[in-house]
Amino acid sequence: MIKVAKIDQKEQFIELRAKGVSYDEISKGIGVSKPTLIKWGRDLQLEISNRYALELELLQEKYYVSKKKRIELFGEQLVRLIEELANRDLSEIPTEKLYDMTMKTAASLKQEETQITLKEVGSMEDTLDDLLNKSAYIEWKP
């Protein structure tokens, strides 16, 4: 039973360190000495780094920071602006502003454009040079 408790403490430690909690706070929270936590920090650095990366990914998704989310957001906004613009009388002054918003949103969406690169596993017919330079993958762009 002691090993299970220690594994649980280590898991809590990894989670808390990935969230940036100090060794002192963790020590008080899970009942493990600070020197032991420092040793765990060295031993579990890879796990802490990976958990930290996952935490950042969750925050990026939540706040539309990821590239995919930004493209979706700008795309949806652009569709709404274009639909509204289609319903407007082009002689109205607010339409000018709507055009401006449409152009700015389109420009933001253009900045998120990604060059699509597809890969496939190389075949025996590929040259040795291609395999060495492309890590056994062949890239092609549509």
Side-chain angles (χ1 to χ4, degrees), residues 67 110 112-118 139-142:
K67 189 168 200 71
K110 179 73 175 164
E112 298 300 331
E113 187 176 276
T114 302
Q115 180 66 39
I116 297 172
T117 304
L118 303 174
E139 293 183 2
W140 55 281
K141 297 174 183 170

Side-chain angles (χ1 to χ4, degrees), residues 22 29 51 55 65-66 83 90 94 132:
S22 72
R51 184 71 59 91
E55 292 284 331
V65 180
S66 74
E83 287 172 354
L90 298 179
L132 291 174

Side-chain angles (χ1 to χ4, degrees), residues 51-66:
R51 184 71 59 91
Y52 178 74
L54 292 173
E55 292 284 331
L56 284 179
E57 183 181 39
L58 287 173
L59 285 173
Q60 288 176 338
E61 288 295 320
K62 181 177 179 180
Y63 295 108
Y64 296 101
V65 180
S66 74

Side-chain angles (χ1 to χ4, degrees), residues 1-11 30-32 40:
M1 211 47 155
I2 293 173
K3 286 189 176 195
V4 173
K6 190 172 182 179
I7 291 171
D8 288 343
Q9 286 176 321
K10 282 186 175 183
E11 184 60 34
I30 66 174
V32 175
W40 287 0

Side-chain angles (χ1 to χ4, degrees), residues 2-136:
I2 293 173
K3 286 189 176 195
V4 173
K6 190 172 182 179
I7 291 171
D8 288 343
Q9 286 176 321
K10 282 186 175 183
E11 184 60 34
Q12 286 179 316
F13 169 74
I14 291 168
E15 184 177 335
L16 293 170
R17 282 303 291 160
K19 290 181 178 179
V21 178
S22 72
Y23 285 108
D24 285 331
E25 289 180 54
I26 296 171
S27 178
K28 292 172 189 169
I30 66 174
V32 175
S33 72
K34 188 174 175 181
T36 299
L37 295 178
I38 292 170
K39 181 184 180 315
W40 287 0
R42 284 191 304 266
D43 295 343
L44 301 170
Q45 185 58 46
L46 180 63
E47 290 85 349
I48 294 167
S49 295
N50 287 340
R51 184 71 59 91
Y52 178 74
L54 292 173
E55 292 284 331
L56 284 179
E57 183 181 39
L58 287 173
L59 285 173
Q60 288 176 338
E61 288 295 320
K62 181 177 179 180
Y63 295 108
Y64 296 101
V65 180
S66 74
K67 189 168 200 71
K68 181 182 176 197
K69 286 288 189 178
R70 287 192 312 265
I71 290 170
E72 289 173 357
L73 183 68
F74 290 139
E76 290 167 3
Q77 184 177 7
L78 183 59
V79 168
R80 287 194 312 271
L81 288 167
I82 290 170
E83 287 172 354
E84 180 63 25
L85 186 59
N87 294 326
R88 294 283 178 102
D89 179 359
L90 298 179
S91 65
E92 294 179 16
I93 293 175
T95 302
E96 234 175 78
K97 182 150 178 86
L98 194 57
Y99 265 124
D100 185 50
M101 289 175 61
T102 303
M103 297 307 290
K104 287 179 180 176
T105 303
S108 295
L109 190 56
K110 179 73 175 164
Q111 286 179 343
E112 298 300 331
E113 187 176 276
T114 302
Q115 180 66 39
I116 297 172
T117 304
L118 303 174
K119 297 180 181 183
E120 63 184 32
V121 176
S123 69
M124 294 294 284
E125 296 171 4
D126 295 321
T127 65
L128 180 59
D129 187 47
D130 284 342
L131 292 175
L132 291 174
N133 291 330
K134 296 184 182 178
S135 302

